[in-house]
Every structure is written in C-alpha cells, then in structure tokens.
Amino acid sequence: SYYFAVFVRRLHYFVIITALVSAAAVAAAMLLPSVYQAQSILLLEGSSVPGAMAPPTFQIAAMQKLQTLQNSLMTRANLLDVANRLNVFRDLKKMSPDDVVQAMRDNATIKLSANKGEAAIMSISFKGETGKTAAGVVNEFVTIVLNVDADIRKGNATGTSEFFDQQVKRLSALGTLLRTAAPFVAACPWT
C-alpha cells in the first residue's frame, strides 16, 4: 500500500510526461512527409543445362550472378536514367548528378540470398515520396535486372552452343579417322 500511495501522489507527473510524449509523437506524425515503399522479390533460376554436359566455365554460381545483377543495376547511368525518366525527386532539377545517384542509392535496398540448397532470391525495394514513384522505380529496376539477366543467359547459351559445336566437330573428325583406319586394322595379320 505504501508504493501505491507514492504512485498516486506522483500520478500527475506520469500524466504530464505521457501527454507531452503523445503530443510530440502526434506532431511528428503530422509534420513529417509520407514515405512510400515498394518491393519486388525475384527468384533466380539455375542453369537448365546439366553440369555433366556443359563445361563449368559457362555456369555461374548463384551468389556471383546475383552480385553481378546488383552491380549492373546500381550503376550511375542506370540510376540517373531512372531518376530523370520518372522524376523521382521534387527538386531533381536543382540536384547535382552525384546527389541524385546518392539519393537513389540511399532510398534503394537490395537484399541477396543464395544459400546452399535454397533458391537464389533478390529482393528490391525503394522508398519514394509517392506510391506511384516508388512502384515505378521498382518496376524499372526489375526490368533492368531482367534485361541484364537475359543478356547474361544469352552469352552463356552462346558459349555453351560453341562448346557443343566444337565437341561435334571433334567427334566427327574422330569418327572419320576411325572409319578410315578400320580397313587397316582388319587387314593386320596379328589381330
């Protein structure tokens, strides 16, 4: 009962502190600008060519591929292009290119996950002043990633195709050599 009596005597301090903190929180919520965030999750598919058939030089590890995609996405040229096309910031005309790139990098978040035995995942999110801006930037980022991935896959497929063409030529030459050598082997007296 002693502690309860002390609490009741000091109750006005608790009420005043609670009211001040609540007022500050409400004021901050009303005065701070709204921030919208859009997010997209991309699943990276593995190679469709079995490892035994294609040389390992044409197959890229999942994390390495994700890092390559991330680095190509976050290039200065891509960030400036997306910022200018979508007019991402209100004061874009007053900002220097370095400031625009830094602001785009600050508002973008890319998380990579490629653990052994799990799917490789890239999560892309962007914080913008409006929902439309945030969603537009994420859509552009996804488009860039898909285009870069398509180029990488096309290059890998070309390399794999060239490898298979070389193997076909090598085996054809070996087959021709064996066909021409067969009569000589059959005519040998010691066979």
Side-chain angles (χ1 to χ4, degrees):
S1 72
Y2 170 73
Y3 292 111
F4 183 70
V6 170
F7 175 73
V8 171
R9 274 186 272 148
R10 307 264 194 270
L11 184 61
H12 61 282
Y13 293 125
F14 292 113
V15 172
I16 291 172
I17 291 172
T18 303
L20 289 175
V21 170
S22 297
V26 169
M30 298 302 255
L31 295 175
L32 290 175
S34 299
V35 176
Y36 298 88
Q37 181 173 348
Q39 181 177 7
S40 178
I41 298 175
L42 302 172
L43 177 67
L44 180 70
E45 291 182 0
S47 175
S48 60
V49 178
M53 293 181 69
T57 55
F58 295 123
Q59 297 179 359
I60 301 174
M63 184 53 92
Q64 183 181 357
K65 187 170 184 179
L66 288 175
Q67 289 170 344
T68 301
L69 293 171
Q70 178 183 7
N71 290 338
S72 62
L73 172 64
M74 298 306 284
T75 61
R76 179 182 175 89
N78 283 340
L79 295 176
L80 285 173
D81 180 49
V82 170
N84 288 327
R85 275 192 294 120
L86 299 178
N87 200 17
V88 175
F89 305 108
R90 287 185 186 154
D91 299 330
L92 186 64
K93 302 296 181 198
K94 297 177 185 176
M95 297 171 72
S96 71
D98 290 335
D99 293 338
V100 172
V101 169
Q102 189 59 46
M104 290 291 285
R105 287 186 177 147
D106 290 343
N107 290 329
T109 304
I110 299 176
K111 294 180 184 174
L112 307 176
S113 173
N115 297 323
K116 187 174 183 178
E118 295 180 4
I121 296 173
M122 174 185 268
S123 172
I124 302 171
S125 63
F126 189 81
K127 294 178 185 173
E129 296 172 354
T130 66
K132 183 178 179 181
T133 301
V137 170
V138 169
N139 285 337
E140 287 297 318
F141 282 175
V142 168
T143 301
I144 291 169
V145 167
L146 292 177
N147 289 338
V148 169
D149 184 50
D151 291 343
I152 290 172
R153 286 179 180 265
K154 183 178 176 183
N156 289 345
T158 302
T160 303
S161 175
E162 290 172 0
F163 170 77
F164 285 133
D165 289 342
Q166 290 172 356
Q167 292 299 315
V168 166
K169 289 177 185 174
R170 185 179 67 83
L171 293 173
S172 294
L174 182 62
T176 304
L177 179 65
L178 289 176
R179 281 192 297 277
T180 57
F184 297 114
V185 171
C188 288
W190 59 83
T191 59

